[in-house]
Amino acid sequence: MSEEHQHHLFHHKKDEEVSGDADNSAYVEQTTGEYGGEDKYEKARKEEKHHKHLEEGGELGTAAAGGFAMYEKHEAKKDPEKAHRHKIEEEIAGGAAVGGGVAVFHEHHEKKEDKKEEEEAHGKKHHHLF
């Protein structure tokens, strides 16, 4: 197998060895400039998508926790011997559902902020007249 077609976890180039004394101008340029060559519009668009995915995942988690809380409430009524245990699990699941709802709310607002940044970077401006 030739050296060009080897599969590794990290792709190291042998001709570009970095030493501790070498000039790190490429690193400085990447950290101070625009990341990965993306402009502000693309970056804001990617962040908006990321927050959208987190929001949708949070909604699913909240629904699952709420459903589990309802199931435990039903089990507490159905099984009087272990009712105390089921009530505790119901409260824990209810708390998880509320926490998931808060996370979804947070991600929704992050998504809105990223959308506003995307519009501003694309040239759309919001004029608040009133």
Side-chain angles (χ1 to χ4, degrees), residues 72-83:
E72 287 298 329
K73 186 171 188 170
H74 171 72
E75 288 293 313
K77 290 179 183 177
K78 191 170 105 174
D79 188 10
E81 293 177 0
K82 298 180 183 175

Side-chain angles (χ1 to χ4, degrees), residues 31-101:
T31 56
T32 57
E34 295 179 24
Y35 182 73
E38 298 174 347
D39 61 344
K40 291 180 182 180
Y41 174 74
E42 288 296 321
K43 185 177 179 184
R45 195 166 146 241
K46 283 185 180 183
E47 285 182 13
E48 181 186 356
K49 278 186 174 183
H50 175 71
H51 289 298
K52 181 180 179 183
H53 290 298
L54 290 177
E55 180 183 359
E56 290 171 350
E59 288 173 355
L60 291 174
T62 301
F68 186 71
M70 291 175 64
Y71 167 76
E72 287 298 329
K73 186 171 188 170
H74 171 72
E75 288 293 313
K77 290 179 183 177
K78 191 170 105 174
D79 188 10
E81 293 177 0
K82 298 180 183 175
H84 183 69
R85 175 183 174 191
H86 290 297
K87 286 184 181 182
I88 290 172
E89 289 180 355
E90 174 194 352
E91 289 295 322
I92 291 170
V98 169

Side-chain angles (χ1 to χ4, degrees), residues 47-48 51-52 54-55 59 101-117:
E47 285 182 13
E48 181 186 356
H51 289 298
K52 181 180 179 183
L54 290 177
E55 180 183 359
E59 288 173 355
V102 170
V104 168
F105 184 75
H106 169 75
E107 291 300 328
H108 178 73
H109 282 284
E110 288 290 321
K111 182 180 75 170
K112 283 175 58 176
E113 287 177 10
D114 289 335
K115 186 170 187 160
K116 187 175 180 180
E117 288 177 14

